[in-house]
Structure formats: C-alpha cells, structure tokens
Amino acid sequence: MEKRVMTYGKRRKGLAAAAAVLGGVLVLSACNDSDKGGSADASQQSQDQVDEAAAQKTSKAQITISPKNGSQNASINDGAKVTVTEGKLTEVSMTSAEGEAVKGEISADGLSWKPGGPLQRGTVYKIAATAKDAAGLEAHENSSFTTVSKANSFIGNFTPEDGSTVGVGMPVSVTFNKSITDKKAVQSGISVTSSSGQEVVGHWFNTQRLDFRPEKYWTEGSTVTLKLNLDGVEGANGVFGVQKKTVTFKIGRNQVSVVDASTKIMTVKQDGRTIKTIPISAGSPDNTTYNGEMVISEKFKETRMNGATVGFTDSDGKGEYDIKDVPHAMRLSTSGTFIHGNYWGSRSIFGNVNTSHGCVGLADVKGAGDPNQQAAWFYDHSIIGDVVIVKNSKDKTIAPDNGLNGWNMSWSEWKAGSAV
C-alpha cells in the first residue's frame, strides 16, 4: 500500500488556509459587534444634528387664522381674521371658491389682517397667509371655511333710516325675515338709546316684529341711536343673526295734529303751540276713520289708491274707487288709512261732511301743483314720524301694530311685551 506522507511545505500551507478561514470568521464577528455599539451612537448623533439644523431653519412666527379650518356658519362680519406672533405678516390672500379675490389690508404693525368689508352669505372662502420672523424665515398657514347660509341666518329690516330727521312719534321698528323663537337673545342684541336720557323699551308684536319707544314721545332735538349686535346670535334653532350695525337719527320739532271727526277740523300744533287749523273730511258713517294716535310712516307727492287692495270692492270684484293720482298722501296705517289731498270732492264737504272710505281728506287740486292748497301746506309741514291723533270718530281705536302706532298701548302693556 502506498503511503502518502505530507511534507512540511504542504502542512504549512494547510494551516495557513485554516487560519485564514478562521480569521475571516473572527474578523466578520468583530465587524458585527462594532455595528451594535459605536455605529448606533453615530446614527443617533447624526439625527440630532439633522433635528438641530431643521430647528434652526424653522420660522418662529406663529400664524393664527380665524375661523378655524373647516368651520361652518362663520360670521360674515368679524369672523375672518389673521394674526401673527413672533413675526410680521408679509402676504395674505383671501378668495372665494370661485376664485374671486377679497380685498383686505395688513395692519400697520404687520400683526393682523382682516377683510375690507362684510363677506357673502353661504360662501366658501380660502385664506393663505405668510409671515416672517426676525431672522427672515417664513411661516405659512392656510384655512378654508364656509359663511352662514341664507337658510341659516336672519336679518332685521329697520326704520327709520340712518341719518334721517323724524317726528317725535317715530318708533324704532325692526322686522325680521324669519320667525324668532329666542326673543330674549335677539332683543338683548339690540339697544336703542336717546341723548335725552329717556328710558326706551322694546315690545314684540309677534315673532317677527320688535318695536322700541319711550313712555312719552321722543324729546324734540334729541338724537336716538340704534345698535344691532346680532352677528352670531341664534334667533331660532340653527338660525343666526348676521348684522352688526349702528344707526343714528335725529328728532325734529314736536308736531302733533289732532283731527276731530265730529267737528271736522284738524288742529296742527308745534311744540305745544297751534300753528294752523284745517277743515277736513273724515270717514263716512259707513266707513268710519279709526280713532287713536297714528304716526306718519310714508309720504307720496302723488299715489294710486284702489279700493280693491283694502277690501272695498263692487259686485264685479273691482274697487269701489281707483284714483291713480291722489295728491299729497301720507300713510297712517298698514291697512290703508291715509291723510291726503282730495280734488274730486266738492269744496263744501271740508269742515262739513265726512265722506271718505276711512281716510282723512284735505282740500287739494289735481296734479298736486298748487302750494296754497290746505293739503299741500300740511304735506310740506309734515315729516315721517309726526303724530296725527283722530278723536270723536264712531270707529274703534286703531290696533297698535297696524302701522307704527304703538302709542295706543299703555306703558305697562308696552313693557309687558318685552323679552328682557
């Protein structure tokens, strides 16, 4: 049998190869152990450096946009606003969903922005704002919201008009376009004050009409201020106010005219002094004129009066009268009572016979062009809010809510109708 003898050289090479393999395993193990220790520390150190660098590059400016993103039923008045702390605003844009830009202005100090006027109801708006901090680093913020819809909001139409001068009997009357169930909340959002210091109280006639008046007529020469702070006030379930408005009007001279339906004479007084007596013709025995205190609510140089609109019709359904050019007409009630010129009646009726369908007639001419007529004089010397009192008629006292005629209610009755 042949014997193979390993020479010294071959044995040496084998040992070297084995050592190389074993050494490889040991070297690999050493690398793995090193990753579990020193490499993890290096990774954490690297992340900290990244975080620190990112923090150094982040603006300190903090932008706040109102309303919050996604808000519904937002106010159309003061709801939209952008403010910033630790920086100043550099750019703010506001657009509707259709892309229509809303004008606005950044404040002089750069700390706030707001729209230039009221927003539209039921509209989606988007706001994008940019600000810079002291280091010049920019911050950005965006918001989208929807303003309160017409279906979910109410408004109050009011009289008299801002800046007007009215008579001493003019109440502040607010008519809401939706029924109000929380009368206390709504009335609390409205204030009416007078420079005369008179106490002014509100009275609800129904769920949509709220009038304000003092106990006695307004003081002549005083200023009355109406403030509507109804923005965001919930007047009914899910229905919010949108108005924020201040209105002022002045009270003129004190003119009160007394119509005596029995003597058929009207006495006109200013500041308690009689300035004129005028013969009149009131309602006929079949169509008497309401008694009571009535306030002039409208004035027309000429107007049409059709009996069909107030229930005076013939058998064919047409109006018992239809006069297209009644001169110098002034409304005293919602139901159709006027004090006006009469050119179609004989001059002999004024001061002698009551012939109208319930109105108070004064002598006049067709076309309202003669300033010397009694009706023309009274028209020219009367303003909205003047009081006309009818007495000694065979009719009842006019209802307080038939026109602006709340003066026909006692002060205690009036105050009982207040919700606050």
Side-chain angles (χ1 to χ4, degrees):
M1 177 180 291
E2 180 182 0
K3 267 189 181 180
R4 292 189 179 271
V5 179
M6 184 179 291
T7 64
Y8 178 80
K10 289 182 178 179
R11 184 172 179 273
R12 187 175 182 183
K13 289 180 180 179
L15 290 174
V21 172
L22 182 59
V25 174
L26 291 176
V27 169
L28 181 60
S29 297
C31 288
N32 286 343
D33 287 345
S34 175
D35 281 347
K36 291 179 181 178
S39 180
D41 292 341
S43 178
Q44 182 62 47
Q45 182 179 8
S46 176
Q47 184 61 51
D48 290 343
Q49 290 172 343
V50 170
D51 292 343
E52 183 179 355
Q56 291 175 351
K57 293 180 180 179
T58 300
S59 176
K60 294 181 179 180
Q62 298 293 319
I63 301 172
T64 301
I65 298 178
S66 298
K68 293 182 179 179
N69 189 47
S71 294
Q72 301 290 319
N73 293 322
S75 167
I76 65 171
N77 295 295
D78 297 330
K81 188 176 183 181
V82 181
T83 58
V84 65
T85 58
E86 296 192 61
K88 292 189 176 183
L89 294 169
T90 58
E91 184 179 0
V92 178
S93 66
M94 183 176 186
T95 57
S96 67
E98 292 75 24
E100 182 179 352
V102 176
K103 292 182 179 180
E105 187 175 353
I106 296 175
S107 61
D109 59 12
L111 300 180
S112 64
W113 175 95
K114 62 181 181 180
L119 306 177
Q120 297 296 316
R121 284 188 284 177
T123 303
V124 177
Y125 288 97
K126 296 180 179 180
I127 295 180
T130 302
K132 286 184 179 181
D133 63 10
L137 297 176
E138 288 188 341
H140 305 274
E141 194 67 53
N142 297 276
S143 180
S144 178
F145 61 90
T146 305
T147 53
V148 63
S149 67
K150 289 186 177 181
N152 293 102
S153 61
F154 69 89
I155 61 171
N157 298 302
F158 56 85
T159 190
E161 296 180 359
D162 186 28
S164 60
T165 297
V166 298
V168 295
M170 187 69 187
V172 171
S173 184
V174 184
T175 301
F176 301 101
N177 67 334
K178 289 185 175 66
S179 292
I180 302 300
T181 56
D182 194 341
K183 294 180 178 179
K184 183 177 181 180
V186 171
Q187 188 176 336
S188 296
I190 303 174
S191 69
V192 180
T193 57
S194 172
S195 62
S196 67
Q198 292 173 277
E199 179 188 10
V200 184
V201 176
H203 180 95
W204 289 88
F205 285 114
N206 50 51
T207 60
Q208 290 184 252
R209 178 177 169 186
L210 172 63
D211 284 16
F212 292 83
R213 51 157 271 211
E215 181 176 5
K216 304 296 183 182
Y217 300 144
W218 301 104
T219 300
E220 57 269 25
S222 59
T223 299
V224 179
T225 301
L226 161 67
K227 290 185 178 181
L228 296 169
N229 291 308
L230 296 174
D231 193 23
V233 175
E234 191 168 16
N237 186 30
V239 181
F240 300 87
V242 295
Q243 289 168 296
K244 188 172 184 180
K245 189 177 185 64
T246 298
V247 174
T248 61
F249 58 93
K250 292 187 178 298
I251 306 300
R253 74 287 176 276
N254 183 327
Q255 178 168 302
V256 178
S257 303
V258 179
V259 173
D260 190 326
S262 178
T263 64
K264 304 163 191 68
I265 294 294
M266 178 171 68
T267 302
V268 183
K269 292 187 176 183
Q270 281 191 6
D271 302 320
R273 181 175 61 88
T274 298
I275 61 172
K276 196 172 183 67
T277 57
I278 301 174
I280 60 92
S281 179
S284 70
D286 292 333
N287 301 293
T288 50
T289 304
Y290 286 125
N291 287 295
E293 301 172 67
M294 305 181 214
V295 175
I296 296 174
S297 59
E298 291 182 290
K299 293 181 64 179
F300 305 98
K301 190 70 175 289
E302 288 184 286
T303 191
R304 179 183 180 182
M305 291 188 180
N306 186 337
T309 63
V310 289
F312 293 113
T313 58
D314 292 324
S315 57
D316 60 2
K318 294 183 179 180
E320 291 182 14
Y321 58 88
D322 188 2
I323 306 171
K324 297 178 174 59
D325 56 354
V326 177
H328 299 118
M330 292 177 282
R331 181 182 291 278
L332 298 178
S333 78
T334 305
S335 62
T337 308
F338 280 78
I339 184 166
H340 61 76
N342 178 337
Y343 66 80
W344 52 90
S346 170
R347 291 277 163 161
S348 63
I349 67 172
F350 302 105
N352 295 297
V353 185
N354 290 326
T355 61
S356 80
H357 282 76
C359 292
V360 177
L362 289 71
D364 209 340
V365 295
K366 185 179 178 66
D370 185 356
N372 296 315
Q373 297 297 310
Q374 299 280 25
W377 182 94
F378 186 65
Y379 183 92
D380 291 340
H381 286 77
S382 297
I383 60 176
I384 300 296
D386 280 350
V387 180
V388 176
I389 301 174
V390 177
K391 66 178 185 179
N392 296 326
S393 173
K394 300 297 184 180
D395 209 325
K396 62 184 178 181
T397 298
I398 193 168
D401 61 345
N402 186 0
L404 303 176
N405 300 322
W407 302 104
N408 295 287
M409 187 178 289
S410 70
W411 187 233
S412 59
E413 290 175 313
W414 184 265
K415 293 177 75 173
S418 174
V420 297

